[in-house]
Amino acid sequence: MSARAAIVDWARACYEDLRFSEARRWLEGGKGRKACGHLPVYAPRELVHASGMLPVGIYGGGDMLEIIRGDAFYQSYICHLPRSVVELAQSGRLDFLSGVLFPSTCDVIRNLSGMWKVLYPGLYVRYLDLPQVPDPGLATRFWKKELQTLVHDLGEVSGAPADEATLRASLGVFNEMRQLIRELYRARREAPWRVPSEELYLLLRAGEVVPVEAWLEKTRGYLKAAERDAAPIKDRSRVVVVGAFCEQPPLGLIKTIERAGCYIVDDDFLLGNRLLSREVPLAGDPLTNLAEALVRHAVKTSVLYEPNPEGKKALMKERVEAAGADGIIFAAASFCDPALLDRPMLRAGAEAHGIPCIAFKYAENSGQFQQFREQAGTFADAIKLWGGISA
Amino acid sequence: MKCFVGIDLGSTTTKAVVLGERSEILGRGITNSRSNYDLAAQVAREEAFITTRFALLRQQVEQAAGQQVLTRLLRAFRLSQTLTQLTRLSALILKEIERSVPAALRDAAREKVLGIVATIEQEEKARFEDPDPPARSDFFRDAAGSAYMRLAEERGEPSGVSFDRLVGLYDKCIIGVENEPLELGFRHHIGSALELAGNSPAVRAGVEAAVSAELEVVRSVGTGYGRARLPFPKEQIRSEILCHGLGAHRMFPGTRTVLDIGGQDTKAIQVDEHGIVTSFQMNDRCAAGCGRYLGYIADEMNIGLHELGPLAEKSTRSVKINSTCTVFAGAELRERLSLGERREDILDGLHRAIILRAMSLLARSGGIQDQFTFTGGVARNSAATRALRRLVEENYGEKTINISADSIYTGALGAALFAHREAMA
Amino acid sequence: MSEVQKDRSMVIQKDMIAEHYRQLEAAPETGDPVVYTFVPGNLTELIRSFGALPVLPEINALQSGMRGKSRDYILEAERSGHSEDVCTYVKCDIGMLQSGNIGPTGTRLPKPDLLLLSYTGCYTFMKWFELLREQYDCPTVFLQIPYQGDGTLAPEHRQYVVDQLKAEVIPALEKATGRKYDEERVRHYLSLSAQAEEDLVAVLHSAKRKPSPIDAYFGAVYYVGPIFSAFRGTEEGVAYYRELRKEVEERVARGEGPVTPSGTLNDQKYRLVVEGPPNWTSFREFWQMFTDEQAVVVASTYSKVGGVYDFGFRHDPKDPLGTMADYCGGCYTNLNLPSRIDMLASYIKDYAADGFLIHSIKSCNSFSAGQLMMLREVERRTGLPGAFIESDLVDPRYFSAANIRNRLESYLQMIEARRQGRPA
């Protein structure tokens, strides 16, 4: 087996492993090691890392977990993610976590933080209100204070509070991670036949649950191998997938979109892992820098307020141009407020610029992909027949 | 004799239970629900009274003439009912022929229909003579209906009186047969039965006692869907949740958790040691995973509902079905078949999915306490009960699971018990 | 249905609302500035101090629901691309806009001069005003109220709100209205608010009595209307609450229950606490299901969505900006789940309830996510069973009277059976 295939296999194993074995192994590998989980979309993992703990992204059970207990907590008109998250927790699969962070993604995740407090009273739980105000000064001051509180709390949990040095080091490491992710995305954008979306996705999922240092090594290896790949170029339409930033689509759906005739050249899967679009400066006060990085340089997303009235109208055009794409697939989880409420505005903006679009909903445990295959296939063909952006 | 009646108007079937003074079960009746709830209630009650009277004559006839005679008498009674209904169906169809069949075809239509009815009559009589007939549904519509379809297919002529026309006539008139109050009661049919099944003084005496017994209904209680339209005053209507809990408790005094999967809703009920409901959860906004869903699946597969379970049990590989949405049932099934999945495996996964939904509801209502009783139409499905046993054991450990063949009467039984308790209080 | 009796306070309130909509209709001529905002975290005193008129799209939506207009509006919004899964208030509002923006009382609604996006207790608010901003092309000011994740409003969060008021909200209001911030005026309005709050709380607390002179859910929708919308901090508001309190005290003296769709409910068989918003499209019908069973609601959490006053908070004129921060932070949907559970449990105890009911709304995640756990927790803590009923705010397709009645009646019969120690 090639080195590259071995890396993909490793990533796949991480993705499929709902017991988080790699994380558990890391914990056992040292005295007093702890782990702290977080829900989508964005959490400042650097701070967890700087406190000596392993940050673990919790993305539910996808289509790999049968929900027995989780459904007792949620009505049918709420998205699937919190059910599988609760299922993971109630079945003991998350028992290695010493804390969980809940960012302000939407009201479901918000309320889940409160449920966690009731269900696991001994655990550290913190809700993170991301800064939303347009004024960067106000927002930075607010967010920095939040980060300070978080650092303090995480220090109590881990017993090894972060200091300026460790903070700076962690910022550096996660800068590297984000940079490598951007490299992966660039490689795929430039030559998607070399970097299948399935492989990219598996690597990113692995990055959520393993120590970042290990991930960097494996991913660098993958990228080197991929860039040398002589895979055949296929005549596929280039699409951007928008809206799948929280509850993740099943892997089968991602594969289906590509198999149906598309290259996914940009997406917002696991957006949190690259929400900061620029390097966080290492000189100066780490928390101020990290706070500013989010306030000033966050990628546009449905979970953050858009202060510019023209922002949503232009966003899809910017995304499509940056990716050299032909069209957009709006893919949202059923009942997902952020994605579905934004969609009419984003889509109107796209269509005003003549960008072809299709839209559908999925659930993390969608079992049949027939309708997606048909839609994506027809879309890919239409783009080839009638061209991409026409305005 | 004093008796107490409970009536449960379900979405698919209406049930009635008659209790005696010591709250012993005297009789039970069941019929297809229909748009006229009053009539459904009446028919169910009449059926219950019939079985009550049979209960009355049972002991005497059995003692006097033996089990076999009793059985033959009962079957003769049913035959008499069936023949009466066939005559009625025939009359209605003949009228309909006059009304709606083109003149040129009328004679041929009449001849065919009368021929079909005559054949069904013969078949019914032959079935009566058969000592061990194959099992089938008790409802006239089902038995006569499938016979009529079969014969119409054999005898329909595409160029003349076609299969479609014959079936159309049946469809128009069957409702008329069902919606008629039973004019001829117990006395008439038992008389015919006596003629058919043979007569001895002891048997006749037992029958006479049963026929002439006066059944005085002291109190009635109604429940079920559409119960607000029952011809009872408000004080005599009880929630189907409470009736169900009490009925299950009566059947299984040790039960503390009851699951009912009906035609279009699912109920999870916790009861205490007196049969009083302490908590419940309902899933009635959407029929996913209920009886109706299984009906759609059976239709899609072109098999009978009762065949689903046995087929699913032949599965050797589990297929994960994620949605039990009735709207997509057909599409999901077709896609999986086209992907090469076997029917048995799909069905197995499907039954598991249904039970998973029920498990969530149970968890919401407070979990599964020993003993656990499973009722409703779906409880008669062997694949469903198998999936349930598995999931209960996996998640709650070993629990006693009660599944009774009579569980469809649970609600009506509970209603009758309410009637009894309130009257005797 | 026969002519429904109305209290004098209900009549006053109807007039207040009608007058307010008339003023709104006249705004383009009078030049009164118009500010759109939300019920949770509404800064009516501040808005009015600038001579502006507040518009609350949520109230427009629920009024449309009560008047049978919401179905068509929602369909209109869905036709133009809005998902069936999202908040029906938003869709009703968008649909109303797309249908000519005629408000629920039949008068045209004025365009906003400012969208005051008070981001309090609900994520959807953010999207709602992003959508409206596209339609109206007007200035928007964003006020972020931090969620009480740990059960309190931390001092730095309070300060953050005060800073935003100073740096963003007040300047935006000054710009939109052409007037300067008048702190004295604000203080004056705040003192009027406090008076009204005092009377409102007396009314809410009256439900501790037996029989309760009020229905604290359906009836309370009328009681909290003025204070949640355009009338907190106004003389009319003070007068209304004084009148309301008097009315309630008179009912107490006569030993009377509330006026309901089934008449005056004196013989109250069941005292219930309710969590969750009501259904608006079948409001009366839903209420009547309770009163037909002689059930009265003695406390509700929905009546705190625009402000929690019955645990001691009053607007404090001495600290205008700080008190507004406290007010916003304390609105019900901004409280964390454990606090909501505490509130329900304390209501059940303090108001001597026989049971509680959770009304879960399909399109509202803020209220609904977590309610099943709340149900079990409150049952566990109080030993009382809870009922769980589902429908929606203003989409009539999700209100099934038969199902709801079934669940409610079953629940009440269960309570009755437990009370008597044997089946009823």
Side-chain angles (χ1 to χ4, degrees):
Chain A
M1 178 190 288
S2 71
R4 173 188 171 157
I7 294 171
V8 173
D9 274 357
W10 165 82
R12 190 188 305 277
C14 293
Y15 166 70
E16 290 175 350
D17 177 14
L18 296 179
R19 299 224 121 253
F20 301 87
S21 312
E22 284 247 3
R24 290 175 191 270
R25 259 196 298 278
W26 180 84
L27 290 179
E28 282 157 24
K31 199 162 141 71
R33 284 183 175 178
K34 299 215 168 97
C36 181
H38 69 86
L39 277 282
V41 169
Y42 170 77
R45 304 172 62 144
E46 295 87 337
L47 304 190
V48 175
H49 187 263
S51 313
M53 294 193 282
L54 176 69
V56 177
I58 302 170
Y59 284 89
D63 61 356
M64 302 176 285
L65 186 64
E66 211 171 49
I67 309 297
I68 310 276
R69 278 160 280 224
D71 274 341
F73 288 81
Y74 286 102
Q75 304 89 315
S76 56
Y77 32 87
I78 290 174
C79 63
H80 201 271
L81 175 68
R83 287 162 223 280
S84 66
V85 170
V86 167
E87 188 70 35
L88 286 173
Q90 294 281 80
S91 60
R93 290 170 166 96
L94 299 180
D95 59 3
F96 66 101
L97 296 173
S98 303
V100 183
L101 307 177
F102 296 82
S104 59
T105 300
C106 71
D107 293 333
V108 173
I109 304 239
R110 182 196 74 172
N111 290 2
L112 184 58
S113 72
M115 287 170 62
W116 220 265
K117 282 181 188 277
V118 175
L119 290 170
Y120 307 107
L123 206 63
Y124 174 67
V125 167
R126 184 157 180 91
Y127 177 71
L128 295 169
D129 242 318
L130 296 187
Q132 304 274 9
V133 286
D135 178 61
L138 259 178
T140 303
R141 266 199 311 281
F142 165 74
W143 187 233
K144 181 182 168 174
K145 184 78 182 77
E146 292 303 290
L147 295 178
Q148 280 169 333
T149 308
L150 187 58
V151 164
H152 167 265
D153 290 351
L154 290 172
E156 307 228 295
V157 175
S158 71
D163 58 27
E164 235 187 78
T166 49
L167 279 170
R168 209 164 271 137
S170 299
L171 286 181
V173 162
F174 280 88
N175 273 344
E176 280 184 63
M177 183 176 190
R178 277 186 292 271
Q179 179 56 28
L180 191 51
I181 292 174
R182 283 192 281 271
E183 291 290 302
L184 279 170
Y185 270 75
R186 181 196 49 75
R188 181 179 66 170
R189 195 167 57 241
E190 288 173 0
W193 49 92
R194 291 204 185 113
V195 184
S197 286
E198 179 189 1
E199 296 184 358
L200 171 63
Y201 187 75
L202 288 172
L203 278 169
L204 294 182
R205 285 295 296 259
E208 294 292 323
V209 298
V210 304
V212 56
E213 295 81 4
W215 183 85
L216 285 169
E217 195 192 313
K218 296 255 194 229
T219 307
R220 284 189 185 116
Y222 174 85
L223 191 54
K224 239 174 45 192
E227 282 177 326
R228 286 199 303 266
D229 201 320
I233 302 172
K234 295 205 181 86
D235 175 28
R236 290 187 185 170
S237 299
R238 296 168 62 95
V239 300
V240 178
V241 177
V242 172
F245 42 80
C246 180
E247 174 175 329
Q248 293 298 291
L251 194 60
L253 176 53
I254 297 174
K255 291 199 283 199
T256 295
I257 292 175
E258 293 212 317
R259 281 195 200 143
C262 300
Y263 280 130
I264 301 176
V265 291
D266 191 19
D267 58 62
D268 48 16
F269 303 142
L270 308 168
L271 186 62
N273 66 15
R274 59 205 137 88
L275 193 70
L276 307 181
S277 64
R278 288 191 211 176
E279 242 187 41
V280 180
L282 299 182
D285 178 58
L287 291 185
T288 307
N289 291 346
L290 184 59
E292 272 208 350
L294 179 66
V295 167
R296 290 183 193 271
H297 305 300
V299 163
K300 296 288 181 189
T301 158
S302 301
V303 310
L304 291 174
Y305 176 60
E306 170 55 83
N308 178 358
E310 303 303 310
K312 293 239 155 75
K313 295 180 190 158
L315 184 60
M316 291 296 97
K317 175 168 182 280
E318 287 161 15
R319 291 285 298 272
V320 156
E321 277 174 359
D326 304 314
I328 297 176
I329 296 183
F330 288 102
S334 289
F335 306 107
C336 177
D337 276 346
L340 292 169
L341 282 165
D342 246 7
R343 191 188 275 187
M345 290 186 276
L346 295 176
R347 187 164 187 171
E351 285 171 348
H353 288 107
I355 302 170
C357 312
I358 57 167
F360 51 69
K361 290 189 297 191
Y362 63 85
E364 64 173 350
N365 68 336
S366 288
Q368 40 151 353
F369 305 122
Q370 173 80 329
Q371 35 145 343
F372 303 127
R373 185 169 37 248
E374 278 169 13
Q375 273 187 279
T378 311
F379 187 49
D381 288 343
I383 288 175
K384 282 190 228 135
L385 283 170
W386 291 298
I389 305 169
S390 57
Chain B
M1 59 188 297
K2 293 195 196 311
C3 64
F4 308 86
V5 175
I7 299 191
D8 177 8
L9 273 171
S11 57
T12 325
T13 54
T14 296
K15 286 75 67 174
V17 167
V18 177
L19 299 180
E21 262 177 277
R22 287 165 291 118
S23 83
E24 74 279 24
I25 297 174
L26 294 179
R28 293 188 294 225
I30 181 168
T31 183
N32 281 323
S33 289
R34 48 208 72 186
S35 52
N36 184 335
Y37 290 124
D38 292 345
L39 191 60
Q42 200 182 336
V43 172
R45 185 172 37 221
E46 290 303 318
E47 283 291 308
F49 283 142
I50 286 171
T51 59
T52 300
R53 292 191 190 279
F54 265 104
L56 289 177
L57 70 78
R58 177 179 298 272
Q59 221 191 9
Q60 285 161 305
V61 173
E62 225 174 353
Q63 268 175 357
Q67 169 69 35
Q68 270 193 321
V69 172
L70 179 64
T71 308
R72 195 167 160 75
L73 195 63
L74 188 64
R75 293 177 61 202
F77 182 93
R78 292 294 179 204
L79 175 63
S80 173
Q81 274 186 315
T82 303
L83 293 175
T84 307
Q85 284 170 305
L86 272 172
T87 308
R88 182 70 191 137
L89 177 68
S90 184
L92 284 174
I93 292 184
L94 290 177
K95 243 199 256 172
E96 181 62 27
I97 289 175
E98 288 309 306
R99 245 178 22 109
S100 64
V101 173
L105 288 173
R106 271 185 211 150
D107 283 334
R110 265 195 294 269
E111 193 192 309
K112 286 237 185 291
V113 167
L114 288 172
I116 289 174
V117 170
T119 306
I120 298 178
E121 280 178 4
Q122 280 174 313
E123 287 178 358
E124 287 299 315
K125 286 176 184 157
R127 186 188 160 86
F128 170 68
E129 296 299 340
D130 183 346
D132 189 18
R136 69 166 189 195
S137 163
D138 287 336
F139 297 130
F140 177 76
R141 175 194 275 261
D142 295 336
S146 60
Y148 189 100
M149 295 304 139
R150 174 181 27 96
L151 294 166
E153 203 171 355
E154 275 172 34
R155 300 181 191 186
E157 280 157 18
S159 51
V161 180
S162 65
F163 169 72
D164 283 332
R165 185 177 291 285
L166 287 169
V167 168
L169 287 166
Y170 171 87
D171 284 339
K172 274 223 176 72
C173 300
I174 184 64
I175 300 183
V177 176
E178 291 187 326
N179 279 350
E180 273 197 2
L182 305 171
E183 288 174 15
L184 304 168
F186 185 81
R187 183 181 282 279
H188 169 90
H189 291 305
I190 200 66
S192 309
L194 273 174
E195 302 294 315
L196 269 172
N199 248 292
S200 81
V203 171
R204 248 182 290 130
V207 168
E208 192 50 45
V211 167
S212 55
E214 205 190 293
L215 298 173
E216 178 204 339
V217 177
V218 174
R219 193 173 170 87
S220 274
V221 164
T223 187
Y225 248 102
R227 68 194 189 282
R229 291 197 243 162
L230 276 175
F232 299 126
K234 196 175 117 121
E235 309 84 67
Q236 285 171 242
I237 299 176
R238 286 288 164 273
S239 108
E240 52 179 341
I241 307 269
L242 267 67
C243 288
H244 220 88
L246 190 59
H249 179 262
R250 163 61 183 266
M251 292 197 295
F252 303 102
T255 194
R256 295 293 174 262
T257 302
V258 183
L259 171 68
D260 177 69
I261 304 183
Q264 51 190 26
D265 66 38
T266 302
K267 304 186 251 296
I269 303 169
Q270 311 288 344
V271 294
D272 66 13
E273 64 271 21
H274 304 297
I276 299 177
V277 174
T278 56
S279 131
F280 69 90
Q281 281 286 334
M282 277 199 75
N283 207 322
D284 52 8
R285 293 184 47 219
C286 134
C290 295
R292 191 160 289 185
Y293 170 71
L294 288 174
Y296 288 137
I297 294 291
D299 283 346
E300 270 296 323
M301 288 189 168
N302 250 314
I303 59 180
L305 254 179
H306 57 283
E307 298 177 71
L308 286 176
L311 188 52
E313 292 203 65
K314 299 208 191 101
S315 160
T316 51
R317 199 185 127 256
S318 67
V319 165
K320 204 141 39 83
I321 305 285
N322 296 315
S323 153
T324 50
C325 179
T326 50
V327 175
F328 297 118
E332 171 131 25
L333 188 62
R334 282 190 289 274
E335 168 162 355
R336 290 198 177 266
L337 289 170
S338 74
L339 287 172
E341 310 272 21
R342 297 187 324 147
R343 291 193 317 171
E344 303 81 318
D345 298 332
I346 298 173
L347 281 177
D348 182 71
L350 222 133
H351 283 84
R352 187 174 171 86
I354 290 170
I355 299 298
L356 274 172
R357 278 187 110 244
M359 296 294 283
S360 303
L361 206 63
L362 283 160
R364 281 188 205 180
S365 77
I368 297 182
Q369 325 294 333
D370 221 23
Q371 301 167 6
F372 175 44
T373 303
F374 182 27
T375 70
V378 176
R380 290 193 284 197
N381 178 315
S382 53
T385 53
R386 190 171 70 142
L388 183 74
R389 286 186 199 280
R390 235 188 267 146
L391 278 162
V392 169
E393 179 162 351
E394 280 169 25
N395 292 283
Y396 290 94
E398 213 171 295
K399 300 280 177 201
T400 307
I401 302 183
N402 304 319
I403 300 175
S404 155
D406 298 329
S407 70
I408 197 158
Y409 293 103
T410 309
L413 174 57
L417 284 167
F418 275 120
H420 181 268
R421 285 194 198 202
E422 286 153 31
M424 302 304 244
Chain C
M1 203 180 284
S2 59
E3 177 65 34
V4 173
Q5 270 183 276
K6 286 202 155 134
D7 284 323
R8 191 172 130 66
S9 63
M10 276 165 99
V11 175
I12 296 179
Q13 204 219 64
K14 196 156 181 236
D15 290 342
M16 282 164 80
I17 292 177
E19 175 55 29
H20 180 62
Y21 277 108
R22 267 195 293 277
Q23 283 182 347
L24 288 175
E25 189 185 27
E29 277 83 54
T30 60
D32 285 340
V34 172
V35 176
Y36 280 34
T37 191
F38 294 112
V39 167
N42 73 78
L43 301 174
T44 307
E45 300 90 345
L46 187 63
I47 293 171
R48 281 200 178 273
S49 75
F50 283 91
L53 295 171
V55 170
L56 295 137
E58 290 152 275
I59 304 231
N60 292 339
L62 75 85
Q63 289 280 340
S64 298
M66 286 177 105
R67 287 155 210 256
K69 299 181 181 177
S70 53
R71 176 197 280 265
D72 289 341
Y73 290 155
I74 290 169
L75 287 175
E76 178 64 37
E78 288 178 358
R79 263 195 295 271
S80 66
H82 288 268
S83 169
E84 13 164 56
D85 295 349
V86 301
C87 172
T88 49
Y89 272 177
V90 175
K91 287 188 286 189
C92 184
D93 196 34
I94 298 287
M96 183 182 78
L97 222 178
Q98 287 173 353
S99 309
N101 221 15
I102 306 292
T105 56
T107 60
R108 184 175 292 280
L109 290 169
K111 291 204 222 275
D113 294 293
L114 178 68
L115 294 172
L116 204 176
L117 210 178
S118 176
Y119 187 53
T120 311
C122 165
Y123 166 85
T124 300
F125 285 166
M126 187 204 303
K127 296 293 145 187
W128 195 341
F129 274 12
E130 281 182 8
L131 284 160
L132 288 190
R133 180 178 67 186
E134 288 205 345
Q135 303 289 327
Y136 288 121
D137 194 19
C138 66
T140 307
V141 64
F142 192 102
L143 174 65
Q144 178 175 8
I145 307 296
Y147 181 64
Q148 285 200 21
D150 286 335
T152 56
L153 188 66
E156 62 265 25
H157 291 169
R158 188 181 194 269
Q159 190 56 46
Y160 178 50
V161 177
V162 170
D163 290 343
Q164 289 176 75
L165 288 170
K166 277 199 223 148
E168 298 287 314
V169 179
I170 288 173
L173 282 165
E174 287 179 333
K175 195 153 174 229
T177 63
R179 297 199 197 187
K180 283 239 110 8
Y181 174 54
D182 182 347
E183 183 145 284
E184 275 320 298
R185 213 165 161 206
V186 174
R187 287 182 199 275
H188 174 62
Y189 290 162
L190 289 171
S191 71
L192 294 179
S193 299
Q195 285 181 53
E197 286 153 22
E198 195 63 34
D199 287 337
L200 169 65
V201 172
V203 167
L204 293 172
H205 282 171
S206 73
K208 293 182 182 178
R209 295 170 174 277
K210 293 180 185 171
S212 164
I214 63 165
D215 179 284
Y217 184 53
F218 301 100
V221 153
Y222 294 93
Y223 305 156
V224 299
I227 209 163
F228 284 1
S229 59
F231 297 96
R232 196 182 64 233
T234 65
E235 297 284 357
E236 299 105 307
V238 170
Y240 169 79
Y241 284 102
R242 189 175 303 134
E243 175 67 34
L244 177 67
R245 182 176 183 169
K246 199 163 69 117
E247 226 171 62
V248 170
E249 283 166 356
E250 283 165 10
R251 276 216 286 284
V252 169
R254 291 195 300 270
E256 261 177 25
V259 172
T260 76
S262 310
T264 308
L265 184 61
N266 294 327
D267 183 15
Q268 296 164 2
K269 209 166 161 205
Y270 305 101
R271 295 168 62 89
L272 301 175
V273 169
V274 176
E275 143 74 19
N279 165 269
W280 300 109
T281 47
S282 300
F283 185 81
R284 281 221 111 70
E285 190 182 350
F286 190 27
W287 191 356
Q288 192 155 3
M289 291 183 197
F290 284 68
T291 55
D292 280 350
E293 300 296 318
Q294 295 164 269
V296 69
V297 181
V298 292
S300 71
T301 54
Y302 175 73
S303 51
K304 318 304 182 312
V305 76
V308 177
Y309 301 109
D310 54 342
F311 288 89
F313 170 79
R314 299 280 175 275
H315 276 94
D316 179 7
K318 295 199 291 298
D319 178 13
L321 300 187
T323 204
M324 284 192 263
D326 289 330
Y327 154 73
C328 292
C331 288
Y332 182 71
T333 46
N334 206 47
L335 305 179
N336 71 2
L337 223 79
S339 304
R340 287 169 60 186
I341 291 170
D342 287 343
M343 190 185 281
L344 277 170
S346 79
Y347 279 163
I348 287 167
K349 178 162 153 283
D350 295 343
Y351 288 76
D354 301 307
F356 71 101
L357 183 147
I358 297 187
H359 181 223
S360 172
I361 297 293
K362 174 201 184 277
S363 67
C364 175
N365 283 338
S366 176
F367 263 100
S368 302
Q371 275 177 336
L372 283 170
M373 198 200 73
M374 286 171 72
L375 174 72
R376 281 193 292 282
E377 261 313 290
V378 175
E379 283 185 336
R380 196 180 60 79
R381 279 166 56 165
T382 63
L384 288 180
F388 197 79
I389 287 177
E390 299 169 281
S391 79
D392 187 55
L393 294 164
V394 289
D395 191 335
R397 297 174 291 185
Y398 294 104
F399 185 86
S400 165
N403 292 352
I404 289 171
R405 190 186 295 277
N406 183 23
R407 293 189 192 189
L408 180 63
E409 287 179 5
S410 302
Y411 175 70
L412 293 175
Q413 285 177 28
M414 188 172 94
I415 298 279
E416 187 59 29
R418 281 164 59 103
R419 270 213 283 237
Q420 300 190 8
R422 58 169 183 80

